[in-house]
Amino acid sequence: EYRVRSSLPRPPDPITDRSDDGSLPPDIEQYTALPADFPQSVKTLAADVAGAGTPTERAQALEEFFHAPDAGFTYDLDVDLSARAQSQNAIRDFLAPGNRRGFCVQFAGSYAAMARAVGLPARVAVGYTPGTLDQTTGMYQVTNWDAHAWPEVYLAGRWVRFEPTPASPDQ
């Protein structure tokens, strides 16, 4: 048993996304790095999706891409990822039309990589959703089924959570 206290962060102010010269704090620079052999097709897709605008607008455009009805993304816990997940090109393969099925790990990792590809500092966080409220006790029950991964983008001096994972068909 444990207690949780949280607060909702205020949305970033698009005007103050970066310092006046556009630079990032030195400890945040590492969150823009990608491998030298990162697929060009993913970089191109990210640039097309994110477009121009403030960092906040580009981060939001990336999130909207995963939720667009015509994008073809589907939440699926039963997808066979055994071969694809171990591939050096797992993100490229997941983003290819016709392969866009997976769960939070694929969505969070792909979003974070696309954000980095357009210069947005991004990371993947893992934790749990709130769980299920027990009406009798008034307490939430959190199990392994409530585990979740999501991307965060550094905007206006703080990490902001995004949610590219589509809703489960069970929700």
Side-chain angles (χ1 to χ4, degrees), residues 66-77:
F66 287 95
H67 294 286
D70 61 342
F73 287 103
T74 303
Y75 181 84
D76 187 351
L77 286 174

Side-chain angles (χ1 to χ4, degrees), residues 32-39 43 88 91 113 116:
T32 61
L34 288 169
D37 61 347
F38 190 75
K43 291 179 183 178
Q88 185 174 2
I91 292 172
R116 287 182 176 201

Side-chain angles (χ1 to χ4, degrees), residues 65-155:
F65 165 70
F66 287 95
H67 294 286
D70 61 342
F73 287 103
T74 303
Y75 181 84
D76 187 351
L77 286 174
D78 296 323
V79 68
D80 179 16
L81 298 172
S82 56
R84 196 170 75 190
Q86 301 305 316
S87 163
Q88 185 174 2
N89 293 306
I91 292 172
R92 182 201 67 199
D93 295 347
F94 172 71
L95 291 171
N99 287 340
R100 296 176 170 178
R101 301 182 76 78
F103 48 95
C104 59
V105 173
Q106 288 77 39
F107 288 96
S110 296
Y111 177 102
M114 291 175 73
R116 287 182 176 201
V118 296
L120 298 173
R123 65 185 183 186
V124 173
V126 294
Y128 292 88
T129 60
T132 305
L133 177 63
D134 182 328
Q135 297 290 342
T136 306
T137 65
M139 298 175 79
Y140 284 86
Q141 181 178 13
V142 180
T143 69
N144 286 343
W145 287 105
D146 298 305
H148 190 52
W150 62 89
E152 296 178 337
V153 177
Y154 190 80
L155 297 169

